[in-house]
Amino acid sequence: MARRCELTGKGVMVGNNVSHALNRTRRRFLPNLVNVTLISDALNRSVKLRIAAAALRTVEHRGGLDAFLLKQDDADLSPLALGIKKEVRAALAV
């Protein structure tokens, strides 16, 4: 399972540990991923996703999963999230 947020595409970053003597060793900065169940109002069902904690706050700020997906760029979304976005668009068009 990739360490990548399914909604924002946020992933692992790399950098250095820097000691007091300025010795540098490589390290990884991992995203704060959380398994959550979000409710889609348009689909009337819940969806399980693995997203970053910051993305969860953004979803709430934008007014729920449906509003977030419709606003989010397709390049950032996972294949699962793209499918949900397509279902939401179809449900709202009817």
Side-chain angles (χ1 to χ4, degrees), residues 12-55:
V12 176
M13 295 178 66
V14 294
N16 291 309
N17 280 326
V18 182
S19 71
H20 185 67
L22 298 182
N23 296 325
R24 288 174 169 82
T25 56
R26 298 301 279 177
R27 62 161 293 179
R28 298 171 72 196
F29 294 94
L30 301 177
N32 184 12
L33 295 179
V34 193
N35 292 318
V36 296
T37 303
L38 298 173
I39 298 171
S40 171
D41 296 328
L43 303 177
N44 292 322
R45 66 180 172 98
S46 58
V47 180
K48 286 188 177 183
L49 294 170
R50 189 169 189 227
I51 65 174

